[in-house]
Amino acid sequence: RLNIFFVETSGKSCLTFRQACGIESAAKANPDARIKLYTEKTGMNLPENDLENDHREFFRCPVTSVLLKQMNNIEIVRENLVELLEETPLWQLHKTGSFNRSSWRLFHLSDAARVALLWKKGGTYLDMDCIVMRPLESLNNTIGTVENGPNVPSWVENGVMAFSAGHPFLHFLMKYMVLAFEPDNYISLGPDTLRDAMFYFCNRETLPANHWVNCRHNSSIFIQPPESFYAINNSRMETFYQPEFDPNDWHLLHRNSFLSHIYGAGHGRIAPPGSLYAELARKYCPVSYAMATAGGANGIF
């Protein structure tokens, strides 16, 4: 059974409508999968092992409560997320106090926890600002590339990754992340590190999209083309928020994309009713969208 998981490091018990949209879309497109949100426990100030209060806290949040009641394949796992790094090379960052020196602790913990979870449990990791449009069970041992122009070759993102548990690349990546960690650089455990680790592990200088790449320890990784996850990239972020979307962009996303990573979704950008983001939300996360636009919000998601 497919595992799809998300990581939320702030410790807030109430999801935003957009976060809920990402989770709902994954659950709706993959009804037989286990959808798990791993979220930080320590921000709650609850007594240890107080599971009853922990559970009740989520149900005080309307959108979280509705999702849990209507989608039977969603589970929220409340943990001290740094403990996910135990028994992995990334534990070194906690043991040495490196995480405590981080200026971007929530970002760094998220980047680390997703890799540790993939290595321990296997499955598909998704950022919470993704809208899933198709089943994801065919994804395995894969990352996605992004088209950022001829001067930025082999750009990858760590917002979508799918790996079998124990894949040797993930173990190498975790060791590389420890070496690459910079407490004042918020992406030091992110895409650059992922790309460079792949260069070393697979003995390559480029990552050819739409190909299997043979790597160390008789392992292989499939390099997804940009349209799989990032058909509309960061440089075209405005496309998601225009009052009227271009039908060509709708067709672009529905031609070969498993999902769309919505750049700018977490930064308060307004998505008017006729925008591409709003239309995707209306179709793929109707429960979250309806709740977000109810009560005189003029349809703005």
Side-chain angles (χ1 to χ4, degrees):
R1 189 179 178 187
L2 175 64
N3 292 314
I4 299 175
F5 60 87
F6 301 82
V7 174
E8 206 287 318
T9 54
S10 73
K12 296 177 181 178
S13 60
C14 198
L15 299 175
T16 68
F17 292 114
R18 292 180 177 184
Q19 289 175 328
C21 175
I23 296 170
E24 180 188 347
S25 69
K28 187 169 178 282
N30 299 270
D32 296 324
R34 286 184 294 250
I35 315 295
K36 291 189 177 182
L37 168 62
Y38 287 85
T39 183
E40 180 59 53
K41 180 178 183 178
T42 56
M44 294 272 292
N45 296 319
L46 292 173
E48 279 296 312
N49 301 318
D50 192 348
L51 297 179
E52 182 180 350
N53 283 337
D54 198 3
H55 188 69
R56 190 183 305 126
E57 187 70 22
F58 278 110
F59 276 89
R60 293 194 185 111
C61 175
V63 67
T64 312
S65 175
V66 169
L67 276 189
L68 290 172
K69 289 176 180 175
Q70 294 198 13
M71 314 290 288
N72 61 12
N73 58 338
I74 296 174
E75 178 184 353
I76 296 178
V77 182
R78 177 71 82 172
E79 291 190 15
N80 183 350
L81 293 182
V82 75
E83 293 178 0
L84 294 173
L85 310 184
E86 282 193 88
E87 300 179 353
T88 80
L90 290 166
W91 187 244
Q92 185 76 7
L93 294 176
H94 174 69
K95 189 170 67 173
T96 61
S98 295
F99 266 142
N100 291 334
R101 295 193 294 274
S102 170
S103 303
W104 305 91
R105 191 176 187 279
L106 298 186
F107 290 93
H108 289 150
L109 179 56
S110 176
D111 286 335
R114 69 188 66 177
V115 179
L117 276 167
L118 279 173
W119 186 67
K120 288 182 173 182
K121 300 179 181 295
T124 299
Y125 165 81
L126 302 177
D127 275 354
M128 297 183 77
D129 51 2
C130 293
I131 292 184
V132 180
M133 300 178 289
R134 289 171 49 195
L136 304 180
E137 71 268 6
S138 64
L139 299 178
N140 192 33
N141 301 334
T142 190
I143 62 166
T145 55
V146 183
E147 181 59 60
N148 272 342
N151 297 323
V152 191
S154 297
W155 183 257
V156 299
E157 291 274 15
N158 66 340
V160 182
M161 298 184 288
F163 281 93
S164 302
H167 193 286
F169 170 66
L170 297 176
H171 195 264
F172 179 88
L173 174 60
M174 290 188 289
K175 292 192 292 185
Y176 193 86
M177 290 166 76
V178 172
L179 296 176
F181 179 67
E182 298 175 15
D184 295 327
N185 180 356
Y186 84 99
I187 60 168
S188 65
L189 300 182
D192 281 352
T193 301
L194 175 64
R195 179 199 59 198
D196 292 347
M198 286 200 65
F199 284 166
Y200 283 115
F201 187 74
C202 303
N203 191 27
R204 302 192 62 89
E205 294 181 355
T206 60
L207 299 175
N210 225 9
H211 284 80
W212 283 99
V213 173
N214 294 321
C215 306
R216 299 183 192 180
H217 305 298
N218 296 317
S219 65
S220 58
I221 301 171
F222 187 76
I223 312 300
Q224 294 284 342
E227 57 265 27
S228 291
F229 312 138
Y230 311 105
I232 297 175
N233 64 18
N234 188 52
S235 68
R236 295 189 62 220
M237 184 192 308
E238 295 297 325
T239 300
F240 291 114
Y241 306 98
Q242 296 301 317
E244 294 185 12
F245 68 87
D246 184 340
N248 290 327
D249 287 320
W250 181 267
H251 295 312
L252 171 66
L253 290 177
H254 288 83
R255 194 175 304 130
N256 295 307
S257 296
F258 289 93
L259 57 90
S260 182
H261 186 282
I262 311 294
Y263 288 96
H267 303 292
R269 299 293 303 275
I270 292 175
S275 66
L276 182 58
Y277 191 6
E279 288 299 313
L280 289 170
R282 183 182 289 113
K283 180 171 182 178
Y284 295 106
C285 55
V287 175
S288 303
Y289 182 81
M291 294 186 70
T293 55
N298 295 321
I300 293 175
F301 178 59

